[in-house]
Amino acid sequence: MAKKKTLFECQACGFQSPRWMGKCTSCDQWDTMIELSTDQIKFLQETSKAISSSPIGKAKPITQIEEDNIVRFSSGSTELDLVLGGGIVPASLTLIGGSPGIGKSTLLLKIAGNLAREGQKVLYVSGEESAGQIKLRANRLKANHENLFLLPEISLSSVLSEITHKDFSFIVIDSIQTLYSDDTPSAPGSVTQVRTITFELMRIAKSMHIPVFIIGHITKDGSIAGPRVLEHMVDTVLYFEGDSNSELRLLRGFKNRFGSTNEVGIFEMNKEGLNDAKSMAGKFFNKKKLQSGSALTVIMEGSRPIIIEVQALVSEAYGHPKRSSTGFDNNRLTMLLALLEKKLDLPLGTYDVFINISGGIKINEPSADLAIIAAILSSYRDRELSTETLFLGEVSLTGEIREVSSLTQRLKEMHTQGFKKAIIPNKPLEETPIKCFIADEVSKVVEWM
Ligand SMILES: Nc1ncnc2c1ncn2[C@@H]1O[C@H](COP(=O)(O)OP(=O)(O)O)[C@@H](O)[C@H]1O
Ligand SMILES: [Mg+2]
Ligand SMILES: [Zn+2]
């Protein structure tokens, strides 16, 4: 007789093991492993087959293959269309993640309203709020339309029956963590539940050819609760970023089967909801006055240049010096500090250094290195930098300043925003009205300052 196959799964992170453990070796949580039933194991196998399936067949020359023709339609928001890669793809499954209160429901209710107005029949499922509460929000967002249907419901089977009996052409699920399926014994929001529900929604999206948007809350450690399993299953994953003190929200592509993950959508939160930021300019910096410790630079968010302010605070350390940054890589900061210490003889080892990027932006390109250095020097010497000058350049371990990509575009944006001077690593290829000071080494920047 064949031995019965057993499988245990962590309900916090999705880790699987053939043996039970008191503590999950993947996420270190206690008492999260539950044994999956034979049905669940079978379901798992089906799911993974469905996700990775391609019809069995013979290889064909690529010249004989017809390309997929993706006909997208607009969401009514230029910024969302941009992150999606040009609009909503029919039959696609999209996950929008973000921390509570960041604006997920606001954005999707607005989109639902836009599409309803365009004549689409839209279903907004909410397990989070009552229909009355959503109606209040819809009033505020001007999303009221008879084509927009609200369904306050947490039972997956009721949602599915509603979907199969009406001809909706767009569906929002708010949120994946509040829905539950009777077929699995685990709690709403657990890995098993989230997977079962996502799989059913995927089936709906693909078989009925309806785009489905799923909202998912992110836990403190940055993962979507009931996490990784979801990312693998859906076509597109978008994450909201932003800072609770600022009205700006960034929607960043993390995975996209139908487009690049390069672009970033930029929205503004106001009382009418989350709207496309008409102009990014001036939102991320204060041009009139720079305090000591502030420096300006221009980063590329996807295809768009954005001028931002980086801030540094350098203060004498009592005890072990602290290094901490928000929106900038901590290891990179440590490297820059070591470099300043070595090349410029600055005694930064006895100082605390804090870095902050304004507007909740997270910098993930090296071109801001020079601005970080300028901000650190400005704070250390307690001297303000000119409001007319931007810093641009990647700093290497040897103190050289390296070229940055899209220099022409960045200079153009500086000019549009009325800046006059830039400290840059190399001569620009095209002529520019910006007065450029070429600094190919960190020491030259100090000279300039
Ligand atoms: N009446 C209101 N006027 C302006 N802004 C509001 C109002 N009510 C809520 N908000 C804003 O909307 C945000 C909540 O957005 P929401 O879409 O519910 O977030 P999520 O769905 O991501 O948890 C709040 O943080 C608040 O800033
Ligand atoms: Mg919400
Ligand atoms: Zn775990």
Side-chain angles (χ1 to χ4, degrees), residues 41 62 69 114 137 244 263 274 310 328 376 415 419-420:
I41 296 178
I62 194 164
N69 190 13
N114 291 346
R137 183 183 286 139
S244 47
E263 296 295 349
L274 205 51
V310 306
F328 188 74
I376 291 173
H415 180 58
F419 290 93
K420 303 257 161 33

Side-chain angles (χ1 to χ4, degrees), residues 313 322-326 328 330 333 337 352-356:
L313 175 64
K322 293 186 206 51
R323 277 91 182 76
S324 150
S325 41
T326 311
F328 188 74
N330 228 359
L333 169 63
L337 291 173
D352 291 336
V353 181
F354 304 96
I355 297 291
N356 179 49

Side-chain angles (χ1 to χ4, degrees), residues 30-273:
W30 288 92
D31 277 340
T32 52
M33 301 298 284
I34 62 155
E35 179 168 7
L36 298 183
S37 66
T38 333
D39 284 349
Q40 285 175 326
I41 296 178
K42 219 173 97 205
F43 177 80
L44 253 183
Q45 285 162 345
E46 268 173 39
T47 322
S48 57
K49 246 187 260 148
I51 292 166
S52 62
S53 76
S54 47
I56 301 161
K58 300 212 170 59
K60 268 195 208 168
I62 194 164
T63 47
Q64 288 175 19
I65 291 173
E66 264 182 64
E67 69 264 24
D68 283 347
N69 190 13
I70 303 176
V71 187
R72 298 166 189 266
F73 61 93
S74 171
S75 65
S77 152
T78 351
E79 296 293 318
L80 180 62
D81 287 353
L82 181 76
V83 212
L84 289 172
I88 299 171
V89 176
S92 65
L93 199 56
T94 305
L95 169 68
I96 298 212
S99 46
I102 201 153
K104 301 178 294 296
S105 306
T106 306
L107 177 69
L108 285 182
L109 189 61
K110 177 99 182 176
I111 300 301
N114 291 346
L115 294 174
R117 216 173 306 120
E118 291 291 313
Q120 302 214 38
K121 206 161 153 190
V122 179
L123 177 66
Y124 192 101
V125 178
S126 179
E128 306 244 330
E129 288 147 312
S130 69
Q133 277 174 305
I134 303 170
K135 169 77 179 178
L136 268 180
R137 183 183 286 139
N139 287 344
R140 187 156 56 83
L141 307 181
K142 303 194 174 64
N144 277 322
H145 196 280
E146 56 183 12
N147 284 337
L148 174 53
F149 291 76
L150 296 185
L151 178 64
E153 182 57 72
I154 56 168
S155 151
L156 178 69
S157 51
S158 312
V159 173
L160 292 182
S161 114
E162 191 68 18
I163 294 173
T164 38
H165 287 100
K166 300 228 174 76
D167 51 341
F168 293 111
S169 51
F170 185 74
I171 298 170
V172 177
I173 304 291
D174 187 3
S175 65
I176 188 80
Q177 278 103 340
T178 50
L179 277 193
Y180 83 93
S181 157
D182 298 322
D183 298 340
T184 59
S186 39
S190 66
V191 168
T192 316
Q193 283 284 357
V194 162
R195 181 175 38 230
T196 310
I197 294 159
T198 309
F199 184 65
E200 290 302 328
L201 292 171
M202 183 170 75
R203 249 210 292 247
I204 291 281
K206 305 294 168 197
S207 66
M208 300 181 70
H209 217 67
I210 309 172
V212 178
F213 274 61
I214 301 174
I215 290 175
H217 293 298
I218 293 189
T219 53
K220 270 188 247 89
D221 61 5
S223 58
I224 288 217
R228 294 273 107 85
V229 279
L230 248 172
E231 289 174 355
H232 296 309
M233 296 172 79
V234 300
D235 299 309
T236 304
V237 181
L238 310 176
Y239 285 126
F240 261 118
E241 287 172 13
D243 147 16
S244 47
N245 302 320
S246 138
E247 68 282 7
L248 284 160
R249 300 284 183 271
L250 306 188
L251 190 61
R252 201 181 285 280
F254 174 79
K255 164 183 173 180
N256 192 347
R257 278 203 186 125
F258 311 110
S260 98
T261 49
N262 244 331
E263 296 295 349
V264 173
I266 305 180
F267 300 89
E268 269 176 289
M269 181 69 92
N270 55 29
K271 62 179 188 311
E272 272 107 53

Side-chain angles (χ1 to χ4, degrees), residues 9-15 23-29 32-33:
E9 183 176 64
C10 170
Q11 292 303 296
C13 74
F15 178 73
K23 180 182 168 188
C24 169
T25 52
S26 169
C27 70
D28 285 344
Q29 297 208 42
T32 52
M33 301 298 284

